[in-house]
Amino acid sequence: MAKVKNKEAARAIKFALFSASAGIIEFVSIALLDAVTPWRHFYCYLVGLVLSVLWNFTLNRRYTFKSANNVPIAMLKVACFYAVFTPLSTWLDKVLTENYLWPGMLSTVLIMSTNFVTEFLYDRFFVFGKSLDTNDLAKREQEKEAAAE
């Protein structure tokens, strides 16, 4: 039981670190696009979001969830998550900052925290749930553990 808890804690930590790196990619991409293109901010935001989602999906699929599942199907499931989350979070940000006068960064932190928790649970149980620890990396680790016992 402790081994399972440790494994899940390690998954959560890896997910948090990869999500933080995806957040950095999103912020940097948006800032660069805002600075060097004539695009409206909304388009820069969407490009930054897509880049961060692709980064996060790729790393978490391989290293956090160690999944060998069908990539297009898994990516479609993630796209469905963002098809719901993106409009809702955009609406919530507008309501909090315009109607309730929250500082933009406070709203952003709340939305990113919500995204982190809901996406971890969605990925863990829906996207990768049946294919956890099935890729080549997981199989090598299982072989090492079996040899050590």
Side-chain angles (χ1 to χ4, degrees):
M1 186 64 143
K3 191 174 184 178
V4 171
K5 284 184 181 181
N6 288 342
K7 192 174 211 173
E8 290 306 314
R11 268 191 229 285
I13 291 166
K14 285 180 193 175
F15 189 86
L17 293 172
F18 291 140
S19 294
S21 70
I24 292 167
I25 286 171
E26 184 175 344
F27 278 120
V28 170
S29 299
I30 293 168
L32 284 172
L33 290 169
D34 272 339
V36 302
T37 70
W39 299 348
R40 291 178 39 210
H41 177 76
F42 178 74
Y43 298 114
C44 299
Y45 165 75
L46 287 178
V47 170
L49 179 64
V50 168
L51 291 174
S52 73
V53 168
L54 289 172
W55 172 267
N56 206 27
F57 172 83
T58 302
L59 293 177
N60 279 310
R61 180 179 179 276
R62 171 111 177 114
Y63 299 105
T64 303
F65 301 109
K66 298 176 185 160
S67 173
N69 68 351
N70 184 301
V71 174
I73 291 172
M75 192 53 155
L76 180 62
K77 289 177 179 180
V78 171
C80 288
F81 174 86
Y82 278 97
V84 173
F85 186 83
T86 301
L88 284 176
S89 63
T90 303
W91 171 81
L92 179 61
D93 182 64
K94 182 176 170 45
V95 168
L96 292 175
T97 58
E98 293 179 12
N99 296 4
Y100 295 101
L101 304 177
W102 279 36
M105 288 310 294
L106 180 59
S107 174
T108 298
V109 168
L110 172 68
I111 290 167
M112 289 180 90
S113 300
T114 303
N115 182 12
F116 169 74
V117 171
T118 56
E119 188 176 4
F120 176 79
L121 294 172
Y122 183 84
D123 286 356
R124 167 65 181 82
F125 295 104
F126 181 67
V127 177
F128 303 114
K130 293 179 181 173
S131 67
L132 289 175
D133 301 323
T134 57
N135 71 7
D136 59 331
L137 185 61
K139 288 177 183 174
R140 283 195 303 269
E141 289 174 0
Q142 291 164 0
E143 288 169 3
K144 285 180 185 176
E145 287 176 9
E149 292 176 354

